[in-house]
Amino acid sequence: MNKFISPSFRLMNSLSYSNKFALIASLIAIPLIMIATSLAIQFHISVERVQEQQRGLQHLRLSTELIRELENIRDNHVLAFLTRSEEVDFGFSNTQEQTLALIDKIEASPELYQQQETQNFIKNLKEDVSTLGIAPGMEAVRIVYLFDNAELRVEKARTWRVSIENQYNISSSEDPHIVALINLILNDIYRLSKPLGRARTYGTYYLTQHYVSSNGADAIDATYRTLNYEIENLAIKLNAIKSILQTRHASPTISPVIRALKSTRNLLDDKLIQSLEQDYDPSLYYSAVTQDIEQVYFFVEDAFDIIDAILEDTYEDKINSLKAFYVSVSVIGFLFIYLYIGFFYSIKLNIKTLMRSANKVANGDYLSTIKVSSEDELKLLSITMDNMRQQLNAREHKLKELSITDGLTNLKNRKYFDDTLEVEVSKSNRSNTPISLIMLDVDHFKSINDNYGHQAGDKCLIEMSKALTDLMRRKSDLVARYGGEEFIILLPNTDKEHAKALSELIRVSIGQLKVETENTIINFTASLGITTIIPSAHFNHEKLITVADSALYAAKEQGRNRCIYKPVILDNS
């Protein structure tokens, strides 16, 4: 043996199997526990990180919803402040109420509102929105100034949203889809708010006035150019991130955003820039641009939904990985113990199984299979023992069949018939059904033996046995050789008429047999005695044989080749 392996071999030989496994387990378990602990900590940190990002995403949703309402307040307040129109309702009051309700919702969010920066912003914003009012029309005030001043409120909200993202750092996610979508929302979509708001506010205002001032024309033209720029920029951005946006979830479609920008741009161009008379319905214009703005926010909502779904999948994956890790560590530890116990008991139990099987065979039980569950040398031993059991069983079965089978005709012999008759009589008594017996004898059989030889006589008996077997239609019907040329047929649950009819059929069939020998064809007949009874409780089954034999004797006396029926006369004394 290799000198390097020899010490290990001697060490293992000096230990019991339990100590061997304990030694191996201790060498593997300690580093395994250290690695498992380190990995478990990393898994837990990553899970907590995803949960934190999920909470941050909900806060981003809430802040985006607030920005959306503040943009509506910005535009509606400017229009209401400048126009004071009773014909056109821009929904300032409703928007104001919705914004305040959303602010109350933010205040009711413990995790979000507990931050000092959020508290200061929300407190000032609530006071600002609550005190907004509508002053008399001030045509002298430039709409651009009013819009930019109202835009400051929205900018503060956007700054607050950025601080939320920085706190939860969702854009630093490992998933490139989340990074792309967050950057798209906070940067590219963010830039669309102001030009779309200006298009809605400027366009609606000048349509209510039915003319565009020179300053207004400059503002509208600047808005038109900005929209053109954003359309081109967004198309370029779309091509750059198109592959990244393809997720296993439904990918957000940015095409409707581009169509919305184009729709607003075209509306601004058709109804204000190119139109000589600003007579287009301002309500229709306002509604059309508002629908385009809604398309932008539909995209944002879809993007948030996809980010949420990705984070949820990531969370599930990490949880499943953590579970799989714990399960794998548990399984490995369990296997050490399990294999040790299994090794010991596999030998012990299989040896016991072989011993029990050997005792069963020794006691005459040849039906129980000898089998062990192992795949080692004990299995080979069990296969050898089972082959021995099968051979013994086959010999036992063959000996049993020989003891109840007639060697010449392969019919059941007299011993088997006597045992079966007793059982069937008892059954007929319990079920109160008739049982019939037919005893038949080959006519002039001695002459056949004398004239054609014993081999020819044997052949006649064989052919007649086959004919009798073929005529039996039920498994319960029994044909047996009773002795010499005598045969007997047991017919359970068979009345007198059926027994007589079957007897006649047997007689005719035997008479039609043609047994070929080397020199001639032998025809022969048979005489049959029949009896039937519904046995009583203490009926002696041997009496049935006696009456059938008497009927057979009568058939012989009356000329042979006939069937005679005799009833069983019970002794009533």
Side-chain angles (χ1 to χ4, degrees):
M1 182 179 292
N2 190 299
K3 292 183 179 180
F4 179 74
I5 301 298
S6 181
S8 173
F9 178 76
R10 287 195 298 271
L11 173 63
M12 289 300 171
N13 276 345
S14 66
L15 298 175
S16 64
Y17 280 105
S18 58
N19 290 332
K20 291 175 184 177
F21 275 90
L23 176 62
I24 296 173
S26 62
L27 293 175
I28 297 178
I30 294 175
L32 181 63
I33 291 172
M34 295 176 64
I35 295 173
T37 303
S38 175
L39 290 175
I41 292 173
Q42 293 179 24
F43 275 123
H44 281 289
I45 291 175
S46 64
V47 169
E48 291 174 359
R49 172 66 182 142
V50 174
Q51 289 178 314
E52 185 177 290
Q53 289 180 337
Q54 286 178 313
R55 295 194 298 271
L57 181 64
Q58 300 308 314
H59 297 160
L60 277 184
R61 280 181 179 268
L62 203 57
S63 63
T64 301
E65 189 176 349
L66 179 62
I67 291 171
R68 181 180 185 177
E69 294 300 330
L70 290 177
E71 289 173 354
N72 290 333
I73 279 191
R74 174 196 64 194
D75 299 348
N76 294 344
H77 184 247
V78 170
L79 289 171
F81 184 81
L82 288 174
T83 62
R84 295 289 293 174
S85 173
E86 296 180 357
E87 299 177 358
V88 182
D89 180 15
F90 299 107
F92 168 72
S93 297
N94 290 336
T95 307
Q96 187 179 33
E97 291 175 2
Q98 292 173 3
T99 305
L100 290 174
L102 191 56
I103 291 174
D104 291 339
K105 184 177 179 181
I106 294 172
E107 288 178 334
S109 175
E111 183 179 357
L112 183 58
Y113 194 67
Q114 70 181 359
Q115 303 164 18
Q116 189 62 43
E117 181 181 357
T118 298
Q119 290 181 13
N120 295 336
F121 167 71
I122 293 298
K123 182 178 180 181
N124 294 333
L125 179 63
K126 187 173 184 179
E127 183 179 353
D128 184 18
V129 173
S130 301
T131 56
L132 281 176
I134 307 299
M138 298 176 63
E139 292 78 1
V141 179
R142 291 179 58 187
I143 188 172
V144 174
Y145 170 78
L146 290 174
F147 182 90
D148 289 344
N149 188 55
E151 173 68 13
L152 294 176
R153 188 183 304 112
V154 181
E155 288 293 341
K156 290 179 182 178
R158 294 195 188 104
T159 302
W160 173 60
R161 182 174 66 176
V162 171
S163 69
I164 292 175
E165 201 288 320
N166 290 336
Q167 178 185 353
Y168 293 97
N169 208 13
I170 303 174
S171 60
S172 65
S173 171
E174 299 174 358
D175 194 297
H177 306 99
I178 295 179
V179 176
L181 289 172
I182 288 293
N183 288 332
L184 194 63
I185 294 170
L186 298 185
N187 297 321
D188 299 277
I189 301 300
Y190 152 76
R191 291 198 306 270
L192 304 180
S193 168
K194 187 180 288 186
L196 285 172
R198 282 175 173 168
R200 178 167 63 176
T201 306
Y202 297 172
T204 304
Y205 170 69
Y206 286 116
L207 286 174
T208 60
Q209 303 302 310
H210 302 293
Y211 80 96
V212 180
S213 65
S214 59
N215 290 332
D218 291 339
I220 289 173
D221 186 61
T223 301
Y224 179 85
R225 291 196 302 271
T226 303
L227 287 172
N228 262 335
Y229 171 77
E230 293 299 342
I231 290 170
E232 295 174 359
N233 182 67
L234 208 55
I236 296 172
K237 182 76 172 181
L238 176 61
N239 291 329
I241 65 172
K242 190 173 183 180
S243 60
I244 299 178
L245 293 180
Q246 299 297 321
T247 69
R248 55 181 165 176
H249 304 280
S251 301
T253 305
I254 203 169
S255 302
V257 175
I258 297 176
R259 286 198 298 269
L261 291 174
K262 289 180 179 179
S263 173
T264 299
R265 179 198 64 184
N266 295 339
L267 197 61
L268 195 67
D269 186 47
D270 292 342
K271 306 306 178 184
L272 289 156
I273 297 176
Q274 301 296 333
S275 179
L276 297 177
E277 296 181 1
Q278 284 71 38
D279 56 356
Y280 188 68
D281 187 340
S283 296
L284 294 177
Y285 177 86
Y286 180 88
S287 297
V289 178
T290 299
Q291 289 178 3
D292 292 337
I293 293 173
E294 290 298 315
Q295 285 296 325
V296 175
Y297 277 102
F298 287 156
F299 168 81
V300 173
E301 289 173 3
D302 288 344
F304 277 140
D305 287 341
I306 291 172
I307 294 173
D308 192 25
I310 294 174
L311 286 175
E312 183 64 28
D313 285 349
T314 304
Y315 175 77
E316 291 295 331
D317 290 343
K318 290 186 179 297
I319 287 294
N320 290 335
S321 298
L322 184 59
K323 290 179 180 178
F325 171 74
Y326 281 132
V327 168
S328 62
V329 171
S330 301
V331 167
I332 292 173
F334 172 75
L335 283 176
F336 281 113
I337 301 173
Y338 182 77
L339 290 176
Y340 169 75
I341 297 174
F343 175 75
F344 174 77
Y345 279 101
S346 67
I347 296 177
K348 181 179 179 180
L349 296 179
N350 286 328
I351 290 177
K352 283 187 175 182
T353 299
L354 292 175
M355 291 175 62
R356 285 196 297 268
S357 298
N359 288 330
K360 286 182 179 180
V361 173
N363 293 326
D365 180 4
Y366 303 117
L367 299 179
S368 300
T369 303
I370 301 176
K371 183 180 180 181
V372 296
S373 57
S374 66
E375 295 294 330
D376 52 18
E377 287 77 4
L378 289 176
K379 182 177 181 179
L380 298 177
L381 178 59
S382 71
I383 292 173
T384 302
M385 292 180 64
D386 195 60
N387 289 336
M388 177 184 69
R389 175 196 65 81
Q390 292 178 22
Q391 292 177 10
L392 289 174
N393 184 46
R395 291 176 186 175
E396 181 80 7
H397 181 72
K398 186 175 181 180
L399 289 173
K400 185 176 180 180
E401 284 296 317
L402 288 173
S403 68
I404 61 174
T405 304
D406 178 65
L408 176 64
T409 62
N410 281 330
L411 295 176
K412 297 302 180 183
N413 60 19
R414 180 169 180 171
K415 178 182 182 306
Y416 182 83
F417 172 81
D418 289 339
D419 294 339
T420 304
L421 176 62
E422 184 176 2
V423 173
E424 290 298 334
V425 167
S426 297
K427 287 182 181 179
S428 295
N429 168 248
R430 289 194 299 270
S431 61
N432 196 33
T433 56
I435 183 169
S436 297
L437 203 64
I438 302 174
M439 184 173 283
L440 62 151
D441 184 90
V442 179
D443 295 331
H444 303 295
F445 186 69
K446 184 176 183 303
S447 298
I448 295 175
N449 283 336
D450 292 342
N451 296 329
Y452 304 106
H454 287 279
Q455 289 184 344
D458 290 345
K459 192 170 184 181
C460 290
L461 295 179
I462 292 172
E463 293 300 321
M464 189 177 78
S465 300
K466 292 179 181 179
L468 292 175
T469 302
D470 292 341
L471 289 171
M472 299 301 109
R473 294 291 180 262
R474 301 178 304 178
K475 288 185 178 180
S476 58
D477 297 339
L478 173 64
V479 181
R481 187 179 182 189
Y482 203 65
E485 67 274 18
E486 268 191 327
F487 294 81
I488 195 163
I489 301 172
L490 177 62
L491 302 171
N493 197 21
T494 303
D495 58 19
K496 168 185 173 181
E497 299 304 325
H498 285 87
K500 290 172 69 176
L502 180 60
S503 297
E504 184 61 24
L505 179 61
I506 291 172
R507 185 190 67 80
V508 173
S509 297
I510 292 173
Q512 293 174 349
L513 289 175
K514 298 181 184 299
V515 180
E516 296 183 4
T517 64
E518 292 182 359
N519 302 319
T520 186
I521 295 177
I522 305 173
N523 294 98
F524 60 93
T525 61
S527 301
L528 296 90
I530 311 109
T531 188
T532 301
I533 191 173
I534 298 177
S536 59
H538 302 290
F539 178 75
N540 187 349
H541 64 279
E542 293 181 355
K543 188 165 183 66
L544 203 61
I545 300 174
T546 301
V547 175
D549 187 54
S550 175
L552 173 60
Y553 181 77
K556 293 282 189 181
E557 287 292 319
Q558 294 179 26
R560 293 183 172 82
N561 190 24
R562 64 189 67 241
C563 302
I564 297 296
Y565 174 83
K566 275 193 174 185
V568 178
I569 300 174
L570 299 175
D571 186 5
N572 296 323
S573 58

